[in-house]
Amino acid sequence: MITTIRHDRYFENGRRFFSGGIPVTELRGSWFQMGRQYGALMRGELVRVLRFAEKNPGGFSRIGQLGNRGIAGLKRYDELYRGMAETSGLTLEQLRIVNSVEVIYLDRLNGELKNVFDGGRCSSLAVWGENTPDHGVLFGRNYDWLADFEELIGTLVLAVFHPADGANAVAMFNWAGCLYLTTGMNENGLFLELNSGAFADAKVVNGRIHNVWLLWEFLLDSADFAALREHFATSLAAGTYLIGAADPVRAEVFEWHPVRPCTEAPHDAGLLAATNHFISPDWVNTPLAEACGAASSLNRRANLLRCAREYLDHGQKIGLPELCAVMDKTIAEGGAKVGGTLFQIIAAPQEQTWYVKLKNQSDWSEIRLTNLLKGTGELA
């Protein structure tokens, strides 16, 4: 486990440092001011993402025009990008491309890779209660995507936002400039992570604010798990996703669909696993759930549960070392990690600590978020 901290640089009220092998940016102020800080601190990485996106210009048509609704369609995020444009050296149009880099590469999934995609589209395992040494939650997620994106590993960043508008502080992890939320935690220890639900149902409803921006809103607004539940219960999705959620004492997976109300997936006490299909008993998944050979959604989920039960059925608790070992286990070894696993995160909401490992790293980095989210100025 890497626990070192190395300062890098400051800009206005923002700063950048390295926690273990992971770059962290801490941002403060209005959304425009935080955008200025982000643009200045991450300028080089933003350019790298743009150049990568420009290698596949045919994908630009999938992200539409900039238009009156800006980049995200919500004012606070459009202000964020307006600030980034002032200090990054990139235009708003270029930042729109940066933000949409994964969408630009979607054609790689719809062509020859459709039936042999080794990226999997993410897998998750959570343990808590009687199954962990301190009864707290440990939530592990593997982020799986196209192997092409290995070129961008060095642009991944943990960004911590302290909005001046009274909203919760939120930490999120993604490619530089891709500020849609797929993995995040707020100052109250509420954790969210997103898995594709395309194997459950590929339905998309245009004209809705996308799930990845709504997850931002949920974390900015929610004080406790009950508030998260209310948000999911009252928000229809734009696309189909499985959302892992946790606080210091529980975890759930929300099966989020564009047409039917959001439901919580059934699971055993203190143990759940999620990949890319729904497990509610009344749901019929697409045939893709069993596709992709050994890396199918069904197989990856079954493997995670089996790995966990190998500990639990022998009376052993699952702590951080055990969960790291499970998340690191490849498909060939009976786990869920695939060739397209680009980064891994284990969240401990009780301590507000993340453990992060990138594909090109051999060890996990410990990132203590408690003081960062509280805004005390201390790094540990």
Side-chain angles (χ1 to χ4, degrees):
M1 191 69 62
I2 309 173
T3 59
T4 57
I5 293 174
R6 176 171 61 87
H7 286 274
D8 188 356
R9 57 187 180 271
Y10 293 83
F11 180 82
E12 296 177 348
N13 288 328
R15 61 176 172 175
R16 170 174 160 146
F17 60 93
F18 286 83
S19 186
I22 307 300
V24 180
T25 60
E26 188 178 16
L27 315 166
R28 298 170 182 274
S30 69
W31 289 91
F32 175 77
Q33 291 168 337
M34 290 190 292
R36 282 182 52 83
Q37 296 157 29
Y38 191 103
L41 295 170
M42 298 299 296
R43 182 184 296 116
E45 289 83 355
L46 290 167
V47 171
R48 283 180 60 188
V49 176
L50 176 65
R51 298 296 173 243
F52 177 78
E54 289 175 336
K55 292 180 181 180
N56 196 31
F60 289 3
S61 62
R62 280 187 291 278
I63 60 176
Q65 300 302 311
L66 194 56
N68 295 328
R69 288 178 58 77
I71 290 177
L74 291 169
K75 184 174 175 56
R76 56 168 50 120
Y77 310 117
D78 292 337
E79 284 291 292
L80 189 68
Y81 279 99
R82 193 167 67 85
M84 289 168 62
E86 285 204 355
T87 58
S88 65
L90 302 183
T91 66
L92 276 175
E93 179 66 20
Q94 289 173 320
L95 289 169
R96 178 185 70 98
I97 293 169
V98 168
N99 177 69
S100 305
V101 64
E102 288 192 353
V103 176
I104 288 168
Y105 273 77
L106 280 176
D107 62 306
R108 299 277 288 134
L109 296 184
N110 297 325
E112 61 184 18
L113 289 178
K114 185 171 183 179
N115 295 319
V116 294
F117 177 38
D118 192 32
R121 294 187 177 90
C122 305
S123 53
S124 316
L125 179 68
V127 287
W128 68 98
E130 297 294 332
N131 294 332
T132 60
D134 62 357
H135 289 204
V137 174
L138 287 173
F139 202 118
R141 70 102 85 252
N142 286 348
Y143 191 90
D144 305 341
W145 192 233
L146 294 166
D148 308 58
F149 279 72
E150 290 184 40
E151 184 179 331
L152 292 185
I153 290 288
T155 73
L156 287 164
V157 60
L158 176 62
V160 183
F161 295 82
H162 290 275
D165 59 9
N168 293 323
V170 172
M172 59 89 70
F173 192 78
N174 211 333
W175 319 106
C178 305
L179 297 181
Y180 45 79
L181 195 141
T182 55
T183 313
M185 176 182 283
N186 75 9
E187 64 184 77
N188 299 309
L190 296 173
F191 173 77
L192 293 176
E193 62 88 25
L194 175 146
N195 294 1
S196 168
F199 292 170
D201 189 337
K203 189 183 301 297
V204 175
V205 176
N206 295 320
R208 290 181 182 168
I209 294 173
H210 198 276
N211 307 56
V212 293
W213 299 110
L214 291 179
L215 292 181
W216 260 110
E217 297 296 296
F218 295 180
L219 287 183
L220 288 166
D221 180 70
S222 296
D224 52 32
F225 208 88
L228 272 183
R229 280 196 168 104
E230 290 171 0
H231 279 301
F232 281 108
T234 55
S235 303
L236 287 176
T240 306
Y241 290 90
L242 294 97
I243 309 298
D247 70 359
V249 297
R250 86 209 77 193
E252 299 289 348
V253 169
F254 292 94
E255 297 177 337
W256 206 11
H257 191 268
V259 176
R260 76 168 194 174
C262 186
T263 58
E264 294 177 27
H267 58 79
D268 293 343
L271 174 67
L272 64 79
T275 46
N276 308 109
H277 64 285
F278 288 180
I279 61 170
S280 293
D282 63 338
W283 186 264
V284 178
N285 292 283
T286 73
L288 283 173
E290 299 184 53
C292 307
S296 78
S297 184
L298 271 66
N299 285 345
R300 284 180 290 116
R301 180 176 180 274
N303 285 356
L304 286 171
L305 290 173
R306 183 173 58 252
C307 289
R309 288 178 178 133
E310 286 175 358
Y311 290 107
L312 301 176
D313 290 348
H314 290 86
Q316 185 174 353
K317 307 286 188 181
I318 298 178
L320 180 62
E322 292 78 18
L323 188 53
C324 286
V326 172
M327 301 307 292
D328 268 340
K329 194 169 286 191
T330 66
I331 281 284
E333 297 167 330
K337 188 178 178 181
V338 294
T341 300
L342 299 177
F343 65 83
Q344 302 164 276
I345 293 175
I346 294 176
Q350 187 171 358
E351 293 83 23
Q352 294 192 12
T353 299
W354 284 11
Y355 305 89
V356 182
K357 186 165 73 168
L358 311 183
K359 184 171 184 178
N360 61 356
Q361 296 175 343
S362 59
D363 204 354
W364 297 77
S365 293
E366 180 184 81
I367 305 176
R368 299 182 182 181
L369 287 169
T370 306
N371 290 335
L372 289 172
L373 288 169
K374 289 179 180 176
T376 64
E378 300 296 327
L379 298 184

